[in-house]
Structure formats: C-alpha cells, structure tokens
Amino acid sequence: MINWNQIQTGLNRRTFLTNSGVGLGAAALGSLLTNEKSAVAQSVAKPSIVRGLPGLPHFAPKAKRVIFLCMAGGPTHLETFDYKPKLAEMDGKPFPESYTKGQPIAQLQGKALKCQGPLTKFHKYGQNGQEISDFLPWTAKIADDICIIRSMVTEQINHDPAHTFMNTGTAISGRPSMGSWITYGLGSETEELPGFVVLTSVGGRNPQPIASRQWGTGFLPSRYQGVQFNSTGDPVNYLNNPAGVNARQQKELIETVQKLDRFRNQRVANPEIETRIAAYEMAFKMQTSVPELMDLSGESKQTLEMYGAEPGSGSYATNCLLARRLAERGSRFIHLYHRGWDHHGDLVKYMNTCCGLTDKPTWALINDLKQRGMLEETLVIWGGEFGRTPMFQGKGGAGRDHHIKGFSMWMAGGGIKGGITYGATDELGYNSVENIVNVRDLHATMLHLLGINHQQFSVEFQGLDTKLTGVEEAHVIKNILT
C-alpha cells in the first residue's frame, strides 16, 4: 500500500534535492548509511565485472580496453608522419588546380593557393624505418610499437561535426559515442569507477571547445555516458557531500527518493529509472575510488618524471598517467582530449608547444603499459578529427587549413602490428590514394580487436538497425592486425 502522505513528503524533498545541488554524491550516501561495510572495506574490495550484452564478445578479443588520445584541432600529417619531398620541392609555387577544383576547403576557398613545404625535417626510426618528424622525438622512440596509418579520410571539414563523426560514426548530433557503444556492449571490469572516462587538457593555438555530447549515449541508456573528470578542483562534480547537511537528513532524502523511484518503476519499467538507481550506487563507490585514483602519491618519483606528471595540474601528462591507472582498475574506454592543434598560423611555434606538452607523455604511456605487460591488451589510438592542407595559410607565421582527404593517425597494442606504415597519400599529401581508411573502418577495426563483429552489433532506433559503423560498408583493416 502506497502512503501518499509519504509520497507528497518525498516530492517536496525531491524538489529540495534538485534545487540545493545535492547530487549523486549525496544520493550515494544512502548506500553508505545502510551498508554494513566501512568505506575503507569498500575501497579495497575486489571489484566485480559489470557485464555487457549477452553473446558479446562475438569472438576472442585481442584488446580488453581502449585509450583514445585525441589531438583536438587537427594535427598536421605533413609535419608529423607523412613526409613529402615533392611538396618541399614545390614550396611557394602555385598549387595544382587539378587537386582542388570543386573540393571542400574550409578557409582557403577563393584564395590563391600556394604549396607549403614541410616545416621540419623527418628521419627514419625503428627496424622498418618509420618516417617521423623532428617535432616528435619521443614518439620516434616507440616507432617499433606503433602502426602509422597515412591514408585516413573523414567526411566533415569543420571541428565540431568532424569530432562528432570521429566519435559517433555520423555527423548527426545525438548519436551514441564510440565509448558508449563499447561499454554498452561489453560492460566494464570495475564497479568502483565508470567504464567510460573522459579527461581533457589545453595548450596550443586556438583551443576549440569540446561539447559533452561528444561522449554522450544518444539513444542508448544514459548509464553508458562518458564521465568527465575535471582537470582541477573536485575530480567529479557533486561527488562530495554538501555542506550543512548531516547524515540523518541525507538518509531521509535518499529513502524518499528511493521510494519514489521504486514506485514509479513498478508502473512504467523505465530503464532510465534503473540508470538513476545504478548512478546512486556508482556515486557512493566513487566517493572512495575516485580520490584513490587521483592520489598519485603512491607512484614512484621515476614514474612521475617519466610522464612529466604534476598531481592536480590537469595537464596532458597527468592525464596520461591517470589513463594508465584507470586501465589498471578496469575502465573500458578512456578518452583523452588535448585541445590546441588548430594551426592556421604560426604552425612551427604551436607545433613546438603542442608536441612539447604531449609527445613525451604519450611515449611514457606506451612505455609504461609495455613495462607492466598491459600494452598487448590495451588498444591505444592517437590522432585528431582531420589533418591540414598542403597549401599555405598565413595568420602570423605559416600555417595550414583544415583537410579531410588525407591525414595520419597511429594505433598501438591490443592486436596491432607495430613498426609498420599503412596506406599513403599522393606526392603532395592531398588525397589518400593507397589503402584508404575511412573513420568507419577505424571503428570497425577497433570493435574487431575488442571481439565484436561490427555488422552484428546494432540497436533498433526509429525502425532501423543502427550501428556505430553506420549503413555504409565499413572494413576491418586486416593487414595491420597481428
């Protein structure tokens, strides 16, 4: 029998809960107050697996998790991994119209186009002579661990839609992100931390904003949304208990909310209510697990120096170390964004800035995973939402415009052949011409390494079987797999 006086009281308290900012951390205290185990016991308890869909994975995976290192803004392939002697030879000369006529050019449309030769030198590294630029001396040290893909193409020429396409497989906003797809399908190996975590850092030219919908769940249950950890201050908003509210008051609030949720769920069986209940439970566990995750005091001085990590700094270096710690603790998809790669001008200056902030920490992450025996089961992906043009764009010093017809990314670990280069652009670095890799192919390959057949992994939405890889044909890049 429902006590409607209690329900009315609950509604009033729920209004207070919403308006007062008593969020997930407060809600989670209900678990704390009713659980016989102490917070210390909870924090050291062995995490159990949060399972995914029945029947997944489809086959034995080579990777257990993904760390995606997004260089937001679009790093130039022509100063990183794709040396073009012909472009150097044509520096300052008119760019051939045959390449660009009728083609999408973001900010150079209607302007006189001149060839911009490479703005740095390249050398060969590793057993197979991987060509890597002087901007990336630390990445050069892991040449034998990475597979450089030089023939990437995408379909969106401006930042936000290009990120949307890279993250969701479509330019349509509101679709599930790849991290959400993967945690929905495979679950997580921890109940103490989110399965999908996002970390951001800034440094370089014109840092483009990153909208939270880039790690949203779209039509999937919202419990699979990426959780953004803040760079400074409280790692997760509303995780700590609010000031001025004692344990008994919070217990009463929680009990009322739980009664309302159970009552409502009996009537409508709404999965979002189940998500809310699960979020309360996760929030409680995060009250102990997140501070432990963020506390780097247990890391050796050698490890901190290797990454260049400074606790609490919110730097890319610190985020790389946190990514390793999240991987150790069972998170399934860890997405790092470094904003600052939009180099329309002063490219040399800002490449030095961005590479100075990211190159060594990226090497450290690969090296650390390898030393701990984790690289072989962790898929690491490096790249931006698109590349840069072979034509000059000057806003200050020499720069390059957005480019979607050919750019470079790399992959390592988790079933990827190291020390190889796959695909190629033409002699000027404009069009991908050999072993072309669409973003959808990247997604198909990532899913394959996680043990998922992308063609059989779909959710019905608006009458369609919707997939991360979309309705167009996508291919697993088999030649780069071990």
Side-chain angles (χ1 to χ4, degrees):
M1 177 74 69
I2 295 294
N3 185 324
W4 290 102
N5 288 331
Q6 288 183 348
I7 293 295
Q8 183 60 50
T9 301
L11 288 170
N12 292 338
R13 291 172 189 247
R14 193 171 207 176
T15 300
F16 170 72
L17 179 67
T18 301
N19 293 339
S20 64
V22 182
L24 293 180
L29 191 58
S31 297
L32 176 63
L33 295 170
T34 57
N35 198 309
E36 294 179 357
K37 295 181 179 180
S38 69
V40 173
Q42 286 283 344
S43 68
V44 299
K46 182 179 179 180
S48 58
I49 293 175
V50 180
R51 303 202 178 271
L53 296 177
L56 288 181
H58 294 123
F59 44 84
K62 292 187 176 180
K64 289 184 177 180
R65 66 192 70 88
V66 177
I67 300 176
F68 200 111
L69 307 175
C70 177
M71 305 298 110
T76 164
H77 55 297
L78 300 165
E79 276 78 28
T80 51
F81 301 107
D82 199 0
Y83 178 60
K84 293 299 175 185
K86 185 66 173 180
L87 187 64
E89 178 186 319
M90 294 184 64
D91 184 42
K93 296 179 181 179
F95 198 84
E97 186 181 2
S98 59
Y99 283 81
T100 59
K101 188 173 182 180
Q103 297 298 311
I105 302 174
Q107 298 180 42
L108 291 176
Q109 201 71 46
K111 297 182 181 180
L113 304 179
K114 294 184 178 181
C115 294
Q116 174 62 70
L119 295 170
T120 190
K121 294 181 180 180
F122 283 69
H123 294 90
K124 294 184 178 182
Y125 298 92
Q127 294 182 359
N128 295 325
Q130 298 265 65
E131 286 188 311
I132 300 174
S133 90
D134 287 355
F135 282 127
L136 298 168
W138 290 94
T139 300
K141 297 176 185 292
I142 53 172
D144 286 332
D145 296 307
I146 65 176
C147 168
I148 300 170
I149 303 174
R150 287 181 173 172
S151 53
M152 289 297 305
V153 297
T154 185
E155 299 177 8
Q156 298 296 320
I157 202 166
N158 290 313
H159 295 286
D160 187 76
H163 278 297
T164 302
F165 186 69
M166 179 64 73
N167 290 330
T168 70
T170 175
I172 301 172
S173 296
R175 294 296 175 86
S177 62
M178 52 186 167
S180 294
W181 274 108
I182 289 168
T183 51
Y184 169 71
L186 297 177
S188 178
E189 293 188 307
T190 176
E191 287 184 340
E192 312 303 315
L193 290 163
F196 178 15
V197 176
V198 176
L199 299 161
T200 67
S201 55
V202 179
R205 182 190 178 277
N206 192 25
Q208 297 290 330
I210 299 292
S212 60
R213 58 183 171 76
Q214 298 293 351
W215 48 88
T217 54
F219 48 75
L220 297 179
S222 58
R223 67 181 300 179
Y224 300 104
Q225 177 168 311
V227 176
Q228 183 180 7
F229 283 13
N230 298 324
S231 298
T232 57
D234 291 339
V236 180
N237 292 334
Y238 311 119
L239 192 63
N240 293 328
N241 298 332
V245 179
N246 64 39
R248 178 54 50 190
Q249 290 171 321
Q250 290 199 41
K251 184 175 185 295
E252 292 175 357
L253 286 170
I254 300 316
E255 288 176 345
T256 303
V257 170
Q258 289 175 336
K259 288 178 182 178
L260 285 165
D261 284 340
R262 293 192 189 102
F263 171 67
R264 181 63 176 166
N265 209 33
Q266 287 173 358
R267 296 198 165 210
V268 300
N270 187 339
E272 287 304 301
I273 296 177
E274 297 291 345
T275 289
R276 188 182 304 125
I277 294 170
Y280 294 164
E281 296 171 354
M282 172 62 75
F284 159 63
K285 293 169 183 176
M286 287 169 63
Q287 285 185 311
T288 53
S289 62
V290 170
E292 186 276 332
L293 169 77
M294 306 298 286
D295 181 7
L296 303 183
S297 61
E299 298 288 345
S300 69
K301 180 180 179 181
Q302 180 183 10
T303 297
L304 293 173
E305 290 178 349
M306 179 173 70
Y307 281 90
E310 298 178 7
S313 67
S315 67
Y316 177 84
T318 302
N319 288 347
C320 280
L321 178 53
L322 290 173
R324 189 265 289 165
R325 291 170 65 85
L326 283 161
E328 284 180 312
R329 287 157 176 76
S331 290
R332 180 74 69 181
F333 197 96
I334 305 151
H335 206 151
L336 273 60
Y337 292 87
H338 183 79
R339 301 187 293 120
W341 293 86
D342 191 22
H343 300 158
H344 292 276
D346 287 330
L347 187 146
V348 172
K349 172 184 175 181
Y350 288 111
M351 279 294 288
N352 280 320
T353 299
C354 286
C355 294
L357 293 170
T358 65
D359 185 36
K360 185 181 179 183
T362 299
W363 161 81
L365 175 61
I366 297 295
N367 195 47
D368 201 5
L369 290 171
K370 193 174 180 180
Q371 289 176 349
R372 294 168 186 270
M374 295 175 63
L375 183 59
E376 62 186 19
E377 59 184 24
T378 305
L379 176 62
V380 183
I381 304 173
W382 183 100
E385 67 272 33
F386 44 54
R388 314 301 294 194
T389 60
M391 296 86 77
F392 173 86
Q393 184 178 24
K395 294 184 177 180
R400 300 186 186 275
D401 198 7
H402 307 170
H403 192 59
I404 65 175
K405 296 289 186 177
F407 62 103
S408 299
M409 300 181 71
W410 61 253
M411 305 172 75
I416 293 292
K417 290 179 183 177
I420 66 170
T421 298
Y422 182 82
T425 55
D426 58 49
E427 62 181 0
L428 297 183
Y430 189 89
N431 288 302
S432 291
V433 294
E434 178 185 314
N435 295 324
I436 299 172
V437 178
N438 190 283
V439 168
R440 295 187 183 93
D441 302 324
L442 182 75
H443 291 159
T445 304
M446 177 177 64
L447 292 175
H448 177 84
L449 291 168
L450 291 164
I452 298 175
N453 183 331
H454 71 96
Q455 296 174 322
Q456 299 175 12
F457 184 36
S458 64
V459 171
E460 186 175 344
F461 176 64
Q462 296 181 342
L464 299 174
D465 289 333
T466 306
K467 303 189 292 286
L468 171 61
T469 51
V471 297
E472 298 185 26
E473 192 171 7
H475 304 276
V476 175
I477 318 168
K478 294 182 179 180
N479 288 339
I480 69 173
L481 307 182
T482 57

Short mmCIF file of all heavy atoms in Angstrom, two decimals, residues 87 90 92-100 112-116 389-391 426 428-430:
data_model
loop_
_atom_site.label_atom_id
_atom_site.label_comp_id
_atom_site.label_asym_id
_atom_site.label_seq_id
_atom_site.Cartn_x
_atom_site.Cartn_y
_atom_site.Cartn_z
N LEU A 87 56.44 17.99 -52.29
CA LEU A 87 55.85 19.21 -51.72
C LEU A 87 56.96 20.18 -51.30
O LEU A 87 56.83 21.40 -51.49
CB LEU A 87 54.96 18.86 -50.53
CG LEU A 87 54.14 20.00 -49.93
CD1 LEU A 87 53.13 20.54 -50.94
CD2 LEU A 87 53.42 19.55 -48.66
N MET A 90 58.19 21.94 -54.33
CA MET A 90 57.25 22.91 -54.89
C MET A 90 56.90 24.04 -53.93
O MET A 90 56.00 24.83 -54.19
CB MET A 90 55.98 22.20 -55.34
CG MET A 90 56.18 21.25 -56.50
SD MET A 90 54.63 20.51 -57.06
CE MET A 90 53.72 21.97 -57.63
N GLY A 92 56.12 27.24 -52.21
CA GLY A 92 55.91 28.59 -52.71
C GLY A 92 55.34 28.67 -54.10
O GLY A 92 54.90 29.75 -54.54
N LYS A 93 55.27 27.56 -54.81
CA LYS A 93 54.70 27.56 -56.16
C LYS A 93 53.19 27.38 -56.11
O LYS A 93 52.65 26.91 -55.11
CB LYS A 93 55.34 26.43 -56.98
CG LYS A 93 56.84 26.60 -57.19
CD LYS A 93 57.41 25.43 -58.00
CE LYS A 93 58.92 25.59 -58.21
NZ LYS A 93 59.49 24.44 -58.97
N PRO A 94 52.48 27.76 -57.20
CA PRO A 94 51.02 27.59 -57.22
C PRO A 94 50.65 26.12 -57.03
O PRO A 94 51.29 25.23 -57.61
CB PRO A 94 50.62 28.10 -58.60
CG PRO A 94 51.71 29.03 -58.99
CD PRO A 94 52.97 28.46 -58.40
N PHE A 95 49.65 25.90 -56.22
CA PHE A 95 49.19 24.52 -56.01
C PHE A 95 48.36 24.10 -57.21
O PHE A 95 47.48 24.84 -57.65
CB PHE A 95 48.35 24.42 -54.73
CG PHE A 95 48.20 23.03 -54.21
CD1 PHE A 95 49.18 22.46 -53.42
CD2 PHE A 95 47.09 22.27 -54.55
CE1 PHE A 95 49.05 21.16 -52.95
CE2 PHE A 95 46.95 20.96 -54.09
CZ PHE A 95 47.94 20.41 -53.28
N PRO A 96 48.59 22.92 -57.77
CA PRO A 96 47.88 22.50 -58.99
C PRO A 96 46.36 22.52 -58.81
O PRO A 96 45.84 21.89 -57.88
CB PRO A 96 48.39 21.07 -59.22
CG PRO A 96 49.73 21.03 -58.55
CD PRO A 96 49.59 21.91 -57.35
N GLU A 97 45.68 23.20 -59.70
CA GLU A 97 44.22 23.33 -59.60
C GLU A 97 43.53 21.99 -59.76
O GLU A 97 42.41 21.79 -59.26
CB GLU A 97 43.71 24.32 -60.67
CG GLU A 97 42.24 24.63 -60.54
CD GLU A 97 41.75 25.59 -61.62
OE1 GLU A 97 42.56 25.98 -62.47
OE2 GLU A 97 40.56 25.93 -61.58
N SER A 98 44.17 21.06 -60.44
CA SER A 98 43.56 19.75 -60.66
C SER A 98 43.24 19.03 -59.35
O SER A 98 42.33 18.19 -59.29
CB SER A 98 44.48 18.88 -61.51
OG SER A 98 45.75 18.71 -60.87
N TYR A 99 43.97 19.36 -58.29
CA TYR A 99 43.72 18.74 -57.00
C TYR A 99 42.49 19.35 -56.30
O TYR A 99 41.75 18.64 -55.63
CB TYR A 99 44.92 18.94 -56.07
CG TYR A 99 46.10 18.05 -56.35
CD1 TYR A 99 47.01 18.35 -57.36
CD2 TYR A 99 46.35 16.92 -55.58
CE1 TYR A 99 48.10 17.55 -57.61
CE2 TYR A 99 47.45 16.11 -55.81
CZ TYR A 99 48.32 16.43 -56.83
OH TYR A 99 49.42 15.63 -57.07
N THR A 100 42.32 20.64 -56.44
CA THR A 100 41.41 21.37 -55.55
C THR A 100 40.11 21.83 -56.19
O THR A 100 39.19 22.24 -55.49
CB THR A 100 42.12 22.61 -54.99
OG1 THR A 100 42.52 23.45 -56.09
CG2 THR A 100 43.34 22.22 -54.18
N ALA A 112 44.27 32.50 -53.68
CA ALA A 112 45.38 31.93 -54.44
C ALA A 112 46.09 30.89 -53.59
O ALA A 112 46.53 31.18 -52.47
CB ALA A 112 46.34 33.04 -54.84
N LEU A 113 46.18 29.68 -54.11
CA LEU A 113 46.72 28.58 -53.32
C LEU A 113 48.18 28.32 -53.69
O LEU A 113 48.51 28.12 -54.85
CB LEU A 113 45.89 27.31 -53.57
CG LEU A 113 44.39 27.43 -53.29
CD1 LEU A 113 43.68 26.12 -53.59
CD2 LEU A 113 44.13 27.86 -51.84
N LYS A 114 49.03 28.33 -52.68
CA LYS A 114 50.45 28.08 -52.87
C LYS A 114 50.89 26.89 -52.05
O LYS A 114 50.42 26.67 -50.92
CB LYS A 114 51.27 29.32 -52.48
CG LYS A 114 51.05 30.53 -53.38
CD LYS A 114 51.96 31.67 -52.97
CE LYS A 114 51.78 32.88 -53.90
NZ LYS A 114 52.69 34.00 -53.54
N CYS A 115 51.80 26.11 -52.60
CA CYS A 115 52.33 24.95 -51.90
C CYS A 115 53.09 25.39 -50.64
O CYS A 115 53.85 26.36 -50.68
CB CYS A 115 53.26 24.15 -52.80
SG CYS A 115 52.47 23.39 -54.22
N GLN A 116 52.85 24.68 -49.57
CA GLN A 116 53.61 24.89 -48.34
C GLN A 116 54.41 23.64 -48.05
O GLN A 116 53.85 22.58 -47.73
CB GLN A 116 52.68 25.19 -47.16
CG GLN A 116 53.37 25.28 -45.81
CD GLN A 116 54.37 26.41 -45.74
OE1 GLN A 116 54.00 27.58 -45.73
NE2 GLN A 116 55.66 26.07 -45.73
N THR A 389 45.97 21.11 -44.69
CA THR A 389 46.20 21.21 -46.14
C THR A 389 47.69 21.28 -46.49
O THR A 389 48.51 21.78 -45.71
CB THR A 389 45.53 22.47 -46.70
OG1 THR A 389 46.10 23.62 -46.05
CG2 THR A 389 44.04 22.45 -46.52
N PRO A 390 48.04 20.85 -47.72
CA PRO A 390 49.40 21.06 -48.23
C PRO A 390 49.63 22.49 -48.70
O PRO A 390 50.72 22.82 -49.17
CB PRO A 390 49.50 20.08 -49.41
CG PRO A 390 48.29 19.22 -49.34
CD PRO A 390 47.25 20.00 -48.62
N MET A 391 48.60 23.33 -48.61
CA MET A 391 48.70 24.72 -49.07
C MET A 391 48.97 25.65 -47.90
O MET A 391 48.57 25.40 -46.77
CB MET A 391 47.41 25.13 -49.78
CG MET A 391 47.14 24.34 -51.05
SD MET A 391 46.26 22.80 -50.72
CE MET A 391 44.60 23.42 -50.48
N ASP A 426 48.97 11.04 -51.90
CA ASP A 426 49.68 11.34 -53.14
C ASP A 426 50.96 12.13 -52.85
O ASP A 426 51.27 12.44 -51.69
CB ASP A 426 48.77 12.09 -54.12
CG ASP A 426 48.22 13.39 -53.53
OD1 ASP A 426 49.02 14.18 -52.98
OD2 ASP A 426 46.99 13.62 -53.61
N LEU A 428 51.81 15.09 -53.04
CA LEU A 428 51.68 16.39 -52.37
C LEU A 428 50.96 16.29 -51.03
O LEU A 428 50.76 17.31 -50.35
CB LEU A 428 50.96 17.38 -53.29
CG LEU A 428 51.67 17.73 -54.60
CD1 LEU A 428 50.88 18.78 -55.38
CD2 LEU A 428 53.10 18.23 -54.35
N GLY A 429 50.53 15.07 -50.67
CA GLY A 429 49.86 14.90 -49.38
C GLY A 429 48.44 15.38 -49.35
O GLY A 429 47.91 15.66 -48.26
N TYR A 430 47.79 15.45 -50.53
CA TYR A 430 46.43 15.98 -50.57
C TYR A 430 45.38 14.87 -50.46
O TYR A 430 44.50 14.92 -49.60
CB TYR A 430 46.21 16.77 -51.87
CG TYR A 430 44.91 17.55 -51.90
CD1 TYR A 430 44.85 18.85 -51.41
CD2 TYR A 430 43.74 16.98 -52.40
CE1 TYR A 430 43.66 19.56 -51.42
CE2 TYR A 430 42.55 17.69 -52.41
CZ TYR A 430 42.51 18.98 -51.92
OH TYR A 430 41.33 19.67 -51.92
#
